[in-house]
Amino acid sequence: MYVNLDGSYERDSQSDDNYQFERQHLEPIYDAFLCPLTNKVMRDPVSLENGQTFEREAIEKLFKEYRESGKPLVCPVTQMELRSPDLNPSVALRNTIEQWTARNEAAQIDMIPKSLTSGSAEGDVLRALKYIQYLCEKSRLNKHAVRDAELLPLIIDMLKSTSRRVRCRALETLRVSVKEDADIKEMMAEGEVVRTIVKFLYNEQSREKEEAVHLLYELSKSELLCEKIGSVNGAIFILIGLSNGESESNFTVETAEKTLQNLKICENNVLLMAENGRLQPLLTEILEGSSETKLLMANYLGEITLSNDVKVDVARSVGSSLISLMRSGNNQLREASLRALNQIACETSARILIDGEILPPLVRGLFTVGPNQLPVRLKEVAANILANIVNSGIDFDTIPVGPDHQTLVSEDIIHSLLQLISNTGPTIECKLLQILVGLTSSDHAVLSIVSAIKSSGALISLVQFIEAPQRDLRSASIKLLQNLSSHMNQELADALRGAVGQLRSLIMIVTENIGINEEQAAAAGLLAELPERDLGLTRQMLDEGAFHLVISRVCQVRHGEARGIRFMNPYLEGLVRILARVTFILLEEPASVELCQQNNIAAIFIDMLQLNGLDRVQMVSALALESLSQESHNLTKLPELPRPGLCGSIFHCFSNQPVITGLCKLHQGTCSLRDTFCLVEGHAVEKLVALLDHTNEKVVEAALAALCTLLEDSVDIEQGVSILCDVADSVRPIFKILLEKRTDYLMKRSVWVVERLLRNNDIAKEVSMDQNIISALVDAFQHGDYKTKQIAEQALRHVDKIPNFSGIFPNMG
């Protein structure tokens, strides 16, 4: 008769799995040890009144069934009715069974090592491991026996088995062995055992992974093992992955999560979790930990890189706590909190930090001097935090930062910033300039800052940073000056014109042959905002060779030779606006005419008219073409006719003038796009007419202004009308502009153009039948300014809507 693992027995046979622990050496089992009801060795034997012995739990269950069914109590062996249900403990038998069991288990334990060898059959190993589990689950004393028999190293060796079933059973056996046993857990901390278990977490076999996670969970209940698990490279990383794994079983996910909860008892594990994206334990320590723990966690938070979404979550969780630490008198805590806040301060978290009242201590830390002042390295951090916050676009003129309700845009605060900029090193200067960049990005705040800069006379100092050798510092100053340029462009022009080398430095930055970057785009925008009609500045740029360099860069951009898509559009816009300056001094500066001719600049601007989506580029290009076209009649070469002979001079009928072909119909001379900037020769008329239907009124105004140069008194107006009608069919779009009255400028310009068009009898005849156009002209006649009324009256006369003897206004020449 042999004992099975569950305590049942078999008589004179082997188990199905052919497993024996040298049974010939085991004591035989006695019938008295077996419960007649369960056929298992009894643990708590009790006797009935007739002396029959049963397992207490089994007989109590049977008697309960008898009572519930209304049957009389009978002995299940003799079937004789019982007078009493009393159960009497069989103490002597129980002691005998316990002694017999202990002897047999000890003998079994002694034989187990023979089955846990590399050469053992898989079935033998599996049954041996299962028996160890049975023993360990049965009693704590058995666990000690397993430990004392040095079975643990043998079980651990089975983790290296080539059999997946053996490995899984070994993990399971270790888990049962260590459960609620600190001594065995301590043994598991030795050597590479934990590292070996962690490796199973990377296994694709879900069963091994589940067993490994379950084992680590049991081990993590020991603080010593928590440190050991955390010290294994990649352990916390993979556990976090498993706890978030959608492809893992619910058991694996939940057990990995519980393991992580246990591991966070160790501070180093908390830091490792934060490093791997699990920040909540670290944030909890900042909120609830001791001062020493808060210092450690804040220091670490200041070193890790976070995404913007995570920064918002961290700011929401511990922002106020970090701000409180920043206010403390402990210098170490102040530094740690500042560095942590530096990591989480960004545009998206700015509002949360502002609501946590971060601004007053930040500003105080920047400006305070004396014993309690921040070291320069921390002022740099504070300045960087403030720069990140002001870039959020929040309206700062209502948020107090000082005891007297000052705001970041108050004049005294800006003066302090400007003074600090002039008295610090390049690194902090860069951060302070970035603060001003952020503030001046607000249309409302920039006015206050412009006022403060003017009152402090700091513009010259700011301009000097254009030549700074530090790229970040130079870039920040250029971006600031660009933000200021639309509000103080003349002051900037004066400062650049009077400075030595700074204008050239700015030009070289704009035209440097590198990938287009933010600094270049800002520098181009800054130069573009300077007063375009400032003759002295344009001449200085001409002398510096700026326009040749700009033309080269424009061509590179248009030919796809310049890298940097992100800033290409603002950069190209700045270049075109800079280049357009040269067209506004054609009358005053002959060198500008020569430059435009040499570089065929008119062709460049005509090409720019087709850049849909870049409204400013199209508008500026049209304005530049207007200026160039106005110069065409001065550059056109008129034909030289031979002087008539004596008879021809007296009798004109004898004067036979030669016919000259190839002349420009508009300018009556020799024209070209390159040399005389003739829009007709450059086929620009069609492209300008196409812009008359643009959604941006400024583009329409510029295009119409350029087309008006075809109808000026300096050219053949009749031919100009013919070109507009025949070449581009622009009459209809011009009438549409008159009817729409989109802007006052367009109304006045369109009345002027229409009057010139109506000098053509065919057009006048057609318009006289269009009541809408007549009504628009009448409206201009009645409500326009003095000059517009005059022109509208002339237009109405062309269509016979006002009698010629009107005389309300003097006749126009």
Side-chain angles (χ1 to χ4, degrees):
M1 191 179 300
Y2 302 100
V3 180
N4 287 329
L5 297 183
D6 60 357
S8 63
Y9 72 96
E10 299 173 355
R11 295 179 180 272
D12 301 321
S13 66
Q14 293 181 330
S15 61
D16 293 339
D17 52 19
N18 195 31
Y19 176 64
Q20 301 177 62
F21 289 116
E22 299 293 338
R23 287 192 175 115
Q24 63 270 26
H25 299 297
L26 299 181
E27 293 184 30
I29 191 168
Y30 300 97
D31 290 343
F33 292 176
L34 300 176
C35 172
L37 294 175
T38 64
N39 205 30
K40 294 180 180 180
V41 176
M42 292 181 285
R43 296 183 181 181
D44 187 9
V46 292
S47 300
L48 303 180
E49 61 185 34
N50 62 2
Q52 292 293 328
T53 306
F54 301 91
E55 179 69 52
R56 179 187 293 276
E57 182 180 354
I59 193 64
E60 286 179 345
K61 180 180 178 183
L62 180 63
F63 282 0
K64 181 180 179 182
E65 292 175 355
Y66 283 167
R67 283 190 291 270
E68 290 176 351
S69 63
K71 295 179 180 180
L73 298 182
V74 297
C75 174
V77 174
T78 66
Q79 296 300 311
M80 298 296 291
E81 188 172 345
L82 300 172
R83 293 190 300 272
S84 170
D86 293 343
L87 303 175
N88 301 309
S90 299
V91 177
L93 178 59
R94 184 177 63 189
N95 290 338
T96 301
I97 291 174
E98 287 178 352
Q99 292 170 5
W100 175 88
T101 301
R103 290 193 301 273
N104 276 277
E105 288 176 350
Q108 294 277 25
I109 290 174
D110 289 340
M111 291 184 289
I112 285 175
K114 296 180 181 180
S115 298
L116 296 181
T117 64
S118 58
S120 300
E122 181 185 81
D124 292 344
V125 177
L126 292 173
R127 283 182 287 274
L129 292 172
K130 192 66 178 178
Y131 187 70
I132 295 173
Q133 292 180 34
Y134 162 75
L135 292 174
C136 291
E137 288 173 337
K138 189 174 179 181
S139 73
R140 186 178 181 85
L141 288 175
N142 284 346
K143 289 187 177 184
H144 293 169
V146 168
R147 180 196 64 194
D148 294 342
E150 298 183 351
L151 295 183
L152 280 175
L154 299 178
I155 301 171
I156 292 169
D157 284 343
M158 291 301 102
L159 296 177
K160 302 174 184 177
S161 170
T162 57
S163 168
R164 181 173 62 84
R165 295 177 64 198
V166 170
R167 294 195 300 269
C168 285
R169 184 69 59 82
L171 289 167
E172 182 183 0
T173 305
L174 287 172
R175 171 176 55 80
V176 173
S177 302
V178 302
K179 188 174 182 179
E180 299 177 357
D181 194 303
D183 293 336
I184 296 181
K185 286 178 180 176
E186 186 174 340
M187 292 178 64
M188 296 286 286
E190 299 173 0
E192 298 293 312
V193 180
V194 175
R195 185 182 303 276
T196 302
I197 298 169
V198 169
K199 288 180 180 179
F200 282 97
L201 300 182
Y202 293 89
N203 201 314
E204 295 182 0
Q205 294 292 335
S206 59
R207 178 70 191 285
E208 289 179 80
K209 191 184 301 181
E210 285 184 3
E211 289 294 346
V213 172
H214 203 175
L215 174 54
L216 286 174
Y217 169 61
E218 286 298 332
L219 295 176
S220 68
K221 296 176 182 178
S222 162
E223 185 172 349
L224 172 64
L225 267 297
C226 281
E227 292 182 3
K228 186 70 175 181
I229 294 170
S231 68
V232 176
N233 185 33
I236 288 180
F237 169 79
I238 187 62
L239 283 169
I240 292 173
L242 293 175
S243 69
N244 298 326
E246 296 181 358
S247 61
E248 305 296 339
S249 67
N250 290 338
F251 176 82
T252 300
V253 171
E254 292 171 4
T255 309
E257 178 62 33
K258 290 190 293 185
T259 306
L260 288 168
Q261 292 297 325
N262 291 341
L263 293 179
K264 68 182 183 182
I265 192 173
C266 300
E267 289 182 346
N268 191 57
N269 289 345
V270 172
L271 300 181
L272 288 170
M273 290 179 193
E275 180 182 321
N276 289 284
R278 190 182 180 93
L279 285 170
Q280 193 53 53
L282 181 143
L283 303 181
T284 301
E285 293 294 341
I286 291 177
L287 292 172
E288 302 172 1
S290 63
S291 295
E292 292 77 10
T293 300
K294 288 181 178 181
L295 176 62
L296 175 65
M297 299 301 161
N299 270 324
Y300 192 77
L301 183 58
E303 295 173 0
I304 58 179
T305 302
L306 307 172
S307 67
N308 282 347
D309 289 343
V310 175
K311 288 179 181 181
V312 172
D313 292 337
V314 174
R316 191 176 288 116
S317 177
V318 298
S320 296
S321 297
L322 291 172
I323 293 168
S324 297
L325 293 176
M326 184 174 63
R327 293 194 185 100
S328 72
N330 185 309
N331 289 334
Q332 287 184 317
L333 283 175
R334 287 175 71 189
E335 179 168 354
S337 59
L338 271 171
R339 296 194 182 281
L341 286 167
N342 188 42
Q343 284 297 327
I344 65 175
C346 64
E347 295 179 16
T348 49
S349 66
R351 173 51 69 183
I352 299 169
L353 296 176
I354 291 171
D355 291 342
E357 299 185 353
I358 191 175
L359 293 181
L362 270 184
V363 172
R364 187 166 56 250
L366 279 174
F367 297 150
T368 297
V369 294
N372 294 322
Q373 71 178 8
L374 286 175
V376 174
R377 71 177 189 281
L378 293 187
K379 284 194 175 186
E380 179 186 333
V381 176
N384 194 61
I385 296 171
L386 191 53
N388 289 334
I389 290 175
V390 298
N391 279 321
S392 62
I394 294 172
D395 188 1
F396 289 94
D397 60 355
T398 59
I399 302 174
V401 298
D404 299 323
H405 303 287
Q406 301 108 314
T407 68
L408 282 178
V409 297
S410 297
E411 187 173 61
D412 54 343
I413 297 293
I414 299 301
H415 283 172
S416 297
L417 272 174
L418 294 170
Q419 184 177 5
L420 192 59
I421 289 172
S422 62
N423 294 320
T424 54
T427 305
I428 191 171
E429 284 173 343
C430 177
K431 306 302 181 185
L432 295 172
L433 286 173
Q434 288 173 354
I435 294 172
L436 292 176
V437 170
L439 292 174
T440 52
S441 298
S442 164
D443 293 337
H444 191 270
V446 68
L447 299 177
S448 300
I449 296 169
V450 166
S451 175
I453 290 174
K454 287 181 178 179
S455 64
S456 65
L459 184 61
I460 298 298
S461 299
L462 295 176
V463 168
Q464 291 174 353
F465 286 116
I466 292 174
E467 293 188 289
Q470 298 83 8
R471 187 182 186 88
D472 289 345
L473 177 58
R474 184 184 69 200
S475 180
S477 70
I478 290 172
K479 283 188 275 188
L480 172 60
L481 294 174
Q482 182 197 15
N483 290 349
L484 298 172
S485 60
S486 60
H487 303 279
M488 48 193 316
N489 57 359
Q490 191 57 60
E491 292 88 345
L492 272 168
D494 294 340
L496 288 169
R497 186 167 43 242
V500 178
Q502 282 151 18
L503 177 61
R504 178 160 185 78
S505 295
L506 200 57
I507 293 168
M508 297 311 295
I509 292 170
V510 171
T511 57
E512 187 179 2
N513 189 13
I514 57 174
I516 301 168
N517 55 44
E518 187 178 12
E519 181 186 31
Q520 280 193 312
L526 169 57
L527 277 177
E529 282 293 343
L530 300 179
E532 59 188 21
R533 306 287 176 176
D534 188 320
L535 181 60
L537 184 63
T538 305
R539 278 178 171 159
Q540 187 172 347
M541 292 174 67
L542 197 61
D543 294 338
E544 296 281 2
F547 298 111
H548 283 289
L549 296 171
V550 169
I551 290 169
S552 176
R553 283 299 277 171
V554 169
C555 293
Q556 288 177 345
V557 172
R558 291 298 291 142
H559 294 153
E561 298 172 5
R563 304 180 308 278
I565 296 176
R566 181 180 175 188
F567 300 103
M568 182 173 293
N569 287 349
Y571 179 62
L572 181 59
E573 178 184 308
L575 291 178
V576 172
R577 293 175 64 192
I578 295 168
L579 187 56
R581 296 179 65 93
V582 77
T583 67
F584 303 141
I585 63 167
L586 297 174
L587 286 175
E588 297 87 353
E589 184 56 62
S592 65
V593 176
E594 184 178 349
L595 180 139
C596 292
Q597 290 172 330
Q598 289 176 350
N599 294 278
N600 199 9
I601 201 170
I604 294 176
F605 287 118
I606 291 173
D607 177 55
M608 296 296 164
L609 294 177
Q610 303 174 85
L611 292 181
N612 295 325
L614 297 180
D615 294 5
R616 193 76 175 268
V617 171
Q618 290 176 312
M619 180 193 72
V620 172
S621 298
L623 291 174
L625 289 171
E626 177 193 11
S627 298
L628 291 167
S629 182
Q630 288 172 339
E631 188 67 15
S632 293
H633 75 277
N634 295 325
L635 300 173
T636 299
K637 296 179 180 179
L638 299 177
E640 296 183 4
L641 300 177
R643 295 174 62 84
L646 179 60
C647 293
S649 61
I650 299 174
F651 304 102
H652 293 287
C653 59
F654 292 104
S655 177
N656 187 12
Q657 295 291 339
V659 177
I660 302 176
T661 60
L663 299 180
C664 174
K665 293 192 297 182
L666 184 66
H667 300 107
Q668 300 299 309
T670 303
C671 282
S672 69
L673 179 63
R674 175 185 290 273
D675 296 326
T676 66
F677 320 134
C678 178
L679 300 184
V680 178
E681 293 295 326
H683 305 288
V685 179
E686 298 92 332
K687 297 177 178 64
L688 289 166
V689 170
L691 295 179
L692 296 181
D693 194 37
H694 204 285
T695 55
N696 188 326
E697 290 89 350
K698 295 296 182 183
V699 176
V700 178
E701 290 174 1
L704 186 60
L707 290 170
C708 285
T709 61
L710 306 181
L711 302 176
E712 290 179 342
D713 294 333
S714 59
V715 300
D716 190 324
I717 297 176
E718 182 178 350
Q719 289 297 328
V721 172
S722 176
I723 291 169
L724 290 175
C725 292
D726 299 336
V727 176
D729 190 23
S730 63
V731 174
R732 199 172 305 277
I734 292 172
F735 286 150
K736 183 180 178 182
I737 292 172
L738 174 66
L739 295 173
E740 288 179 345
K741 303 175 185 175
R742 294 167 69 180
T743 67
D744 185 61
Y745 176 88
L746 284 175
M747 187 273 292
K748 294 177 181 179
R749 273 288 194 175
S750 61
V751 169
W752 184 89
V753 176
V754 167
E755 187 278 326
R756 304 243 158 174
L757 292 174
L758 292 179
R759 297 181 189 184
N760 181 292
N761 292 332
D762 292 336
I763 297 176
K765 183 177 180 181
E766 183 178 345
V767 168
S768 66
M769 307 297 292
D770 191 325
Q771 190 56 45
N772 290 329
I773 297 176
I774 299 301
S775 297
L777 289 171
V778 169
D779 184 70
F781 173 67
Q782 292 175 343
H783 302 105
D785 58 22
Y786 179 78
K787 187 175 181 180
T788 303
K789 287 182 178 182
Q790 286 183 310
I791 299 171
E793 179 188 13
Q794 290 289 359
L796 289 169
R797 281 204 181 107
H798 294 321
V799 293
D800 296 329
K801 298 302 178 181
I802 292 181
N804 287 329
F805 54 81
S806 170
I808 296 175
F809 297 105
N811 290 332
M812 295 178 60

